[in-house]
Amino acid sequence: LGIDMAGVMIATCMQPSIPVITACLGVMLGLEAGSVSKFLGILTAVAGSICMVLGGVLKSDAKSGTGNNVLLGNICLLANTVAMALYYILAKQLVAKYNPVCVAAWAYIVAATLMGTTAVLTVQQDEWSVPPQMYGPLLYWICVASILGYYLLTWACSRLPASQVAAFQCLQPFFGTLLAFMFLNERPTAWDLGGVGVLLGLAVVVRDASSREGGKVPWGEGHSPLPPGMLKSPPHKAQRGTR
């Protein structure tokens, strides 16, 4: 709906913003610690991703939108990006209590039920047929892109911060461009140099996470602005009585 009403150009610009929204929600809800390097890395990766996606849109001469209701389309796209960011946040909380396979399975059961109901109510009966040449791509989409992909995403949420998992979404246009060059003989353009920003930004995000595990304390970590040694005096440094 959002793409149909607002257009491909706006949609491609909003989708890479999911890692930024995820990081902001995580920090605001007190679920993650923020840092300058984390946000700079995410913004760099997002900027590179937008550059690559925009290059693909302009190269294909895609229209900027149908023009029937751009405002409502923007609202739908914004709701989609916020919902996906919340998925990363909620998945991170659920996998702390439950098996990642169960979390991914229940997410798909609920999604399939809602999508199936919507399809039955809105899709005409003669539009349900799938041409034979689409059996292979459909099977790949179900088994690899959906089942395996979302399981790995949920498994990653059990071991990494939600914002770091979301940041890797910026790799999609990078690998899409690389595979198109290798197998479809598509020639890269100057816009594809945004892939450098994607790799650089993700490297900064991963380095920030490694630094935190190494003992550095980013913004928001802990409950006191005082250094840990000032919270209470150790027993061996207690004052002795005067003579």
Side-chain angles (χ1 to χ4, degrees):
L1 289 177
I3 295 175
D4 180 58
M5 290 184 286
V8 176
M9 186 75 71
I10 297 176
T12 52
C13 290
M14 293 188 69
Q15 282 297 308
S17 67
I18 292 176
V20 178
I21 298 175
T22 304
C24 291
L25 288 175
V27 173
M28 287 190 299
L29 295 175
L31 301 175
E32 289 190 19
S35 68
V36 174
S37 58
K38 174 189 286 188
F39 280 102
L40 286 179
I42 290 175
L43 290 175
T44 302
V46 168
S49 179
I50 291 176
C51 182
M52 298 185 71
V53 173
L54 278 179
V57 172
L58 295 175
K59 184 169 59 176
S60 62
D61 294 325
K63 296 181 179 180
S64 59
T66 59
N68 53 1
N69 198 330
V70 177
L71 177 60
L72 184 57
N74 286 333
I75 293 175
C76 291
L77 292 172
L78 180 61
N80 172 261
T81 55
V82 174
M84 193 63 199
L86 285 174
Y87 174 82
Y88 285 111
I89 296 293
L90 294 175
K92 176 65 178 177
Q93 305 308 306
L94 289 174
V95 295
K97 299 180 180 180
Y98 307 103
N99 190 289
V101 176
C102 296
V103 174
W106 275 109
Y108 257 85
I109 289 173
V110 175
T113 302
L114 296 177
M115 182 60 72
T117 303
T118 304
V120 169
L121 296 176
T122 59
V123 178
Q124 299 295 329
Q125 185 175 2
D126 57 351
E127 297 178 350
W128 281 87
S129 61
V130 179
Q133 62 268 25
M134 292 301 298
Y135 290 163
L138 181 61
L139 185 64
Y140 174 86
W141 184 80
I142 293 172
C143 297
V144 180
S146 296
I147 297 176
L148 179 61
Y150 272 84
Y151 166 70
L152 292 176
L153 186 151
T154 310
W155 178 84
C157 282
S158 66
R159 288 160 172 78
L160 299 172
S163 59
Q164 186 174 346
V165 177
F168 278 86
Q169 180 172 315
C170 296
L171 282 174
Q172 290 183 4
F174 173 80
F175 280 110
T177 301
L178 182 62
L179 292 174
F181 171 73
M182 294 172 60
F183 299 105
L184 301 179
N185 296 321
E186 292 189 8
R187 297 183 62 182
T189 65
W191 290 93
D192 295 324
L193 291 175
V196 178
V198 172
L199 297 178
L200 180 62
L202 289 177
V204 173
V205 172
V206 173
R207 182 178 178 84
D208 175 79
S210 300
S211 298
R212 183 177 59 182
E213 292 178 358
K216 295 183 180 180
V217 181
W219 298 346
E221 196 138 78
H223 303 284
S224 172
L226 297 177
M230 295 180 63
L231 295 179
K232 63 178 182 178
S233 299
H236 65 279
K237 291 187 177 180
Q239 283 187 326
R240 297 180 180 178
T242 57
R243 293 182 180 179

